[in-house]
Coordinates of all heavy atoms in Angstrom, one line a residue:
C68 N 161.0 85.5 130.8 CA 160.2 84.5 131.6 C 161.0 84.2 132.8 O 162.1 83.8 132.9 CB 160.1 83.2 130.7 SG 159.2 81.9 131.7
F70 N 160.4 81.8 135.0 CA 160.6 80.4 135.1 C 161.8 79.9 134.3 O 162.5 78.9 134.7 CB 159.4 79.6 134.8 CG 158.2 80.0 135.7 CD1 157.2 80.7 135.2 CD2 158.1 79.7 137.0 CE1 156.1 81.1 135.9 CE2 157.1 80.0 137.8 CZ 156.1 80.8 137.3
I75 N 163.0 76.7 136.4 CA 162.0 76.0 137.1 C 161.1 75.3 136.1 O 160.6 75.9 135.2 CB 161.1 77.0 137.9 CG1 161.9 77.7 139.0 CG2 159.9 76.2 138.6 CD1 161.1 78.8 139.7
D76 N 161.1 73.9 136.1 CA 160.4 73.1 135.1 C 158.9 72.9 135.6 O 158.0 73.2 134.9 CB 161.0 71.8 134.9 CG 162.1 71.9 133.8 OD1 162.1 72.9 133.0 OD2 163.0 71.1 133.8
A77 N 158.8 72.4 136.8 CA 157.5 72.0 137.3 C 157.0 73.2 138.2 O 157.8 73.7 139.1 CB 157.5 70.8 138.2
I78 N 155.8 73.7 138.0 CA 155.3 74.7 138.8 C 154.3 74.1 139.8 O 153.3 73.6 139.5 CB 154.5 75.8 137.9 CG1 155.5 76.4 136.9 CG2 153.9 76.8 138.8 CD1 154.8 77.2 135.8
P79 N 154.7 74.1 141.1 CA 153.9 73.4 142.1 C 152.6 74.2 142.4 O 152.6 75.4 142.6 CB 154.8 73.4 143.3 CG 155.7 74.5 143.1 CD 155.9 74.7 141.7
Y80 N 151.5 73.5 142.4 CA 150.2 74.1 142.7 C 150.1 74.5 144.2 O 149.2 75.3 144.6 CB 149.0 73.2 142.2 CG 148.9 71.9 143.0 CD1 148.1 71.8 144.1 CD2 149.5 70.8 142.5 CE1 148.0 70.6 144.8 CE2 149.4 69.6 143.1 CZ 148.7 69.5 144.3 OH 148.5 68.3 144.9
R81 N 150.9 73.9 145.0 CA 150.8 74.2 146.5 C 151.6 75.5 146.9 O 151.4 76.0 148.0 CB 151.4 73.0 147.3 CG 150.6 71.8 147.2 CD 151.2 70.7 148.0 NE 151.2 69.5 147.2 CZ 152.3 68.8 146.9 NH1 153.4 69.1 147.4 NH2 152.2 67.7 146.2
D82 N 152.4 76.0 146.0 CA 153.2 77.2 146.3 C 152.3 78.4 146.0 O 152.3 79.1 144.9 CB 154.4 77.2 145.4 CG 155.4 78.3 145.8 OD1 155.1 79.1 146.8 OD2 156.5 78.4 145.3
L85 N 153.9 81.9 145.1 CA 154.4 82.0 143.7 C 153.2 82.3 142.8 O 153.2 83.2 141.9 CB 155.1 80.7 143.3 CG 155.5 80.6 141.8 CD1 156.7 81.6 141.5 CD2 155.9 79.3 141.5
L86 N 152.1 81.5 143.0 CA 151.0 81.6 142.1 C 150.2 82.9 142.3 O 149.6 83.5 141.3 CB 150.0 80.5 142.4 CG 150.5 79.1 142.1 CD1 149.5 78.0 142.5 CD2 151.0 78.9 140.7
F89 N 150.8 85.8 139.9 CA 150.3 85.7 138.6 C 148.7 85.7 138.5 O 148.1 85.4 137.5 CB 150.8 84.4 137.9 CG 152.3 84.4 137.8 CD1 153.1 83.8 138.7 CD2 152.9 85.1 136.7 CE1 154.5 83.8 138.6 CE2 154.3 85.1 136.6 CZ 155.1 84.5 137.5
V104 N 155.8 85.8 130.9 CA 156.1 84.4 131.0 C 156.0 83.8 129.6 O 155.1 84.2 128.8 CB 155.1 83.7 132.0 CG1 155.3 82.2 132.1 CG2 155.2 84.3 133.3
T107 N 154.9 78.1 127.1 CA 154.9 76.8 127.8 C 154.7 76.9 129.3 O 153.9 76.2 129.9 CB 156.1 75.9 127.6 OG1 157.3 76.7 127.9 CG2 156.2 75.6 126.1
H108 N 155.4 77.9 129.9 CA 155.2 78.1 131.3 C 153.9 78.8 131.7 O 153.3 78.5 132.8 CB 156.4 78.9 131.9 CG 157.7 78.2 132.0 ND1 158.8 78.4 131.3 CD2 158.0 77.1 132.8 CE1 159.7 77.6 131.6 NE2 159.3 76.7 132.5
Q109 N 153.3 79.5 130.8 CA 152.0 80.1 131.0 C 151.0 79.0 131.1 O 150.1 79.1 131.9 CB 151.7 81.2 130.0 CG 150.3 81.8 130.1 CD 150.2 82.8 131.3 OE1 151.2 83.3 131.7 NE2 149.0 83.0 131.8
R110 N 151.1 78.0 130.2 CA 150.1 76.9 130.2 C 150.3 76.1 131.5 O 149.3 75.8 132.2 CB 150.4 76.0 129.0 CG 149.9 76.6 127.7 CD 149.9 75.6 126.6 NE 149.9 76.2 125.4 CZ 150.8 76.2 124.5 NH1 152.0 75.6 124.7 NH2 150.7 76.8 123.3
R111 N 151.5 75.9 131.9 CA 151.7 75.2 133.2 C 151.3 76.0 134.4 O 150.7 75.4 135.4 CB 153.2 74.8 133.4 CG 153.7 73.8 132.4 CD 155.1 73.5 132.5 NE 155.6 72.7 131.4 CZ 156.9 72.4 131.2 NH1 157.8 72.9 132.0 NH2 157.2 71.6 130.2
L112 N 151.5 77.3 134.4 CA 151.1 78.2 135.4 C 149.5 78.2 135.5 O 149.0 78.1 136.6 CB 151.6 79.6 135.1 CG 151.4 80.7 136.1 CD1 152.1 80.4 137.4 CD2 151.8 82.0 135.6
T113 N 148.9 78.2 134.4 CA 147.4 78.3 134.4 C 146.9 77.0 135.0 O 145.9 77.0 135.8 CB 146.9 78.4 132.9 OG1 147.4 79.6 132.4 CG2 145.4 78.5 132.9
R114 N 147.5 75.8 134.6 CA 147.0 74.6 135.2 C 147.2 74.5 136.7 O 146.4 74.1 137.4 CB 147.8 73.4 134.5 CG 147.2 72.1 134.7 CD 147.9 70.9 134.0 NE 148.1 71.2 132.6 CZ 149.3 71.1 132.0 NH1 150.4 70.8 132.7 NH2 149.4 71.4 130.7
A115 N 148.4 75.0 137.2 CA 148.7 75.0 138.6 C 147.7 75.9 139.3 O 147.2 75.6 140.5 CB 150.1 75.5 138.8
I116 N 147.4 77.1 138.8 CA 146.4 78.0 139.4 C 145.0 77.4 139.5 O 144.4 77.5 140.5 CB 146.4 79.4 138.7 CG1 147.7 80.1 138.9 CG2 145.2 80.2 139.1 CD1 147.8 81.4 138.0
Q118 N 144.4 74.2 139.6 CA 144.4 73.1 140.6 C 144.3 73.7 142.0 O 143.6 73.2 142.9 CB 145.7 72.3 140.5 CG 145.7 71.3 139.3 CD 147.0 70.6 139.1 OE1 148.0 71.1 139.6 NE2 147.0 69.5 138.5

Side-chain angles (χ1 to χ4, degrees):
C68 178
F70 302 106
I75 299 173
D76 276 338
I78 300 171
Y80 65 89
R81 290 181 229 126
D82 192 355
L85 175 71
L86 298 178
F89 298 96
V104 178
T107 54
H108 285 117
Q109 179 72 22
R110 288 192 195 113
R111 292 177 187 175
L112 184 66
T113 303
R114 195 177 311 129
I116 290 171
Q118 285 177 334

